[in-house]
């Protein structure tokens, strides 16, 4: 991707609001993500992070505001329509089939997009990318927790998305798995895919070396580098107790 392309907006979130009864889960968020951009969204529990992702994936519809993707208004588009346009989501509740092999799992998203004779090569290329090379015939259920997350990531990448949304991709992972996940995400981004990561693990956020957006009470609280966010006294106050420790650079 050439440098000028990277300046073009891929995703525009305009005055986005979501109310659940009396709860303002999102209270007017404006955000632009450029083509090829990688960013991280953090914020204390209840900040509205998952709600924002669900509004982007189409699982939820907003109370007000707009979402523009690649020049098209997708505010009220169905999830499958958004997937077709190039938005892929990997959530914690995995979309993998435990009783199928790695190969068979990968085949499912590839079948619609790739010629049958090209599928094996596409699978190998994707497995390489997510650190699962050679595990084609392993059953998904036999994989470690981290490997299952990577398989789900591989399936999301099989859609060749323009925008990849990752909700806490390192949840439950060991430090080593977390580190490998950072590498995978950075490689995916280096190949031109825009990535937005919701994350609690500050070791991951720091290693990702990406701009950070802090959500708080449904609003964008701060946008900056990891250093800027990490050293911001107000942000530290948002993360009290254990969450405060998590924001420390000494972690991990
Ligand atoms: P985060 O992912 O940052 O922890 P969420 O987006 O899950 O935050 O939640 C934001 C707020 O919206 C919280 O107060 C939460 O209780 C509320 N909320 C989220 N989903 C629902 C829902 N389906 N029904 C009612 N309230 C919800
Ligand atoms: Mg959440």
């Amino acid at each position: 991707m050439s440098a000028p392309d990277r300046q073009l907006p891929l995703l525009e979130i305009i005055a986005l609001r979501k109310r659940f009864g009396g709860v303002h889960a999102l209270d007017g968020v404006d955000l632009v993500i450029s083509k090829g951009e990688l960013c991280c969204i953090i914020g204390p529990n209840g900040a509205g992070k998952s709600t924002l992702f669900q509004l982007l994936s189409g699982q939820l519809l907003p109370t007000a505001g707009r979402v523009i993707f690649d020049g098209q208004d997708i505010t009220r588009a169905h999830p499958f329509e958004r997937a077709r346009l190039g938005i892929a989501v990997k959530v914690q509740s995995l979309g993998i089939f435990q009783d199928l092999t790695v190969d068979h799992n990968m085949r499912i998203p590839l079948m619609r997009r790739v010629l049958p004779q090209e599928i094996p090569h596409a699978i190998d290329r994707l497995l390489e990318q997510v650190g699962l090379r050679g595990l084609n015939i392993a059953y998904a259920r036999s994989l470690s927790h981290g490997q299952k997350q990577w398989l789900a990531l591989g399936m999301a990448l099989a859609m060749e998305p323009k925008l990849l949304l990752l909700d806490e991709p390192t949840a439950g992972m060991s430090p080593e798995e977390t580190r490998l996940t950072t590498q995978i995400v950075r490689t995916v981004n280096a190949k031109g895919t825009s990535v937005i990561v919701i994350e609690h693990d500050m070791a991951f956020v720091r290693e990702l070396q990406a701009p950070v957006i802090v959500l708080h009470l449904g609003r964008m609280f701060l946008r900056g580098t990891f250093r800027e966010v990490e050293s911001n006294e107000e942000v530290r106050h948002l993360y009290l107790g254990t969450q405060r420790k998590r924001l420390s650079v000494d972690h991990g």
Side-chain angles (χ1 to χ4, degrees):
M1 184 176 288
S2 68
D5 276 352
R6 284 186 180 261
Q7 304 307 317
L8 295 173
L10 178 65
L11 179 72
E12 294 168 80
I13 297 171
I14 304 156
L16 202 61
R17 292 173 194 276
K18 180 65 184 178
R19 247 192 1 235
F20 296 106
V23 178
H24 296 262
L26 271 198
D27 200 15
V29 168
D30 293 278
L31 181 61
V32 177
I33 303 293
S34 305
K35 288 188 177 166
E37 190 172 339
L38 166 64
C39 75
C40 218
I41 298 179
I42 67 167
N45 271 332
K49 305 181 297 295
S50 296
T51 300
L52 175 62
F53 262 28
Q54 285 174 294
L55 292 171
L56 297 179
S57 69
Q59 279 173 277
L60 289 175
L61 293 178
T63 310
R66 290 200 301 155
V67 181
I68 313 290
F69 180 72
D70 220 4
Q72 244 180 287
D73 190 324
I74 59 157
T75 311
R76 312 198 83 80
H78 285 285
F80 68 82
E81 176 70 5
R82 298 178 198 225
R84 199 183 58 75
L85 289 171
I87 299 180
V89 192
K90 190 211 150 280
V91 291
Q92 283 163 266
S93 51
L94 300 162
I96 67 172
F97 299 93
Q98 303 277 355
D99 292 328
L100 300 179
T101 61
V102 166
D103 212 86
H104 200 151
N105 269 281
M106 292 300 302
R107 224 162 251 279
I108 295 165
L110 285 171
M111 266 182 324
R112 288 212 195 126
R113 301 190 33 261
V114 178
L115 292 171
Q117 63 270 27
E118 290 170 1
I119 287 180
H121 176 69
I123 290 176
D124 288 344
R125 190 177 48 77
L126 285 160
L127 292 184
E128 172 86 46
Q129 204 178 349
V130 297
L132 296 177
R133 189 161 66 120
L135 288 174
N136 303 59
I137 62 165
Y139 280 92
R141 74 177 112 80
S142 73
L143 300 177
S144 73
H145 170 77
Q147 288 173 325
K148 285 178 186 173
Q149 304 294 323
W150 298 333
L151 175 56
L153 185 54
M155 289 169 76
L157 291 175
M159 312 288 294
E160 289 193 14
K162 294 176 187 155
L163 174 65
L164 179 65
L165 306 175
L166 303 174
D167 196 349
E168 298 199 20
T170 68
M173 284 190 179
S174 68
E176 176 62 6
E177 287 174 332
T178 297
R179 203 183 54 75
L180 285 168
T181 304
T182 320
Q183 287 176 3
I184 293 168
V185 171
R186 290 184 63 81
T187 307
V188 167
N189 176 246
K191 291 185 180 201
T193 308
S194 300
V195 187
I196 308 179
V197 190
I198 288 179
E199 192 50 75
H200 255 104
D201 187 320
M202 286 303 142
F204 175 87
V205 177
R206 184 190 53 217
E207 268 191 48
L208 206 57
Q209 296 168 33
V212 178
I213 291 158
V214 184
L215 270 192
H216 179 50
L217 298 176
R219 294 193 182 177
M220 206 151 85
F221 189 77
L222 183 69
R223 187 175 188 165
T225 63
F226 178 80
R227 289 281 161 208
E228 285 163 355
V229 167
E230 194 266 338
S231 62
N232 185 290
E233 204 53 39
E234 284 182 292
V235 172
R236 284 178 170 272
H237 281 298
L238 298 181
Y239 282 81
L240 294 171
T242 56
Q243 305 234 7
R244 187 172 196 160
K245 285 202 198 87
R246 278 187 191 151
L247 200 65
S248 156
V249 277
D250 299 331
H251 178 85

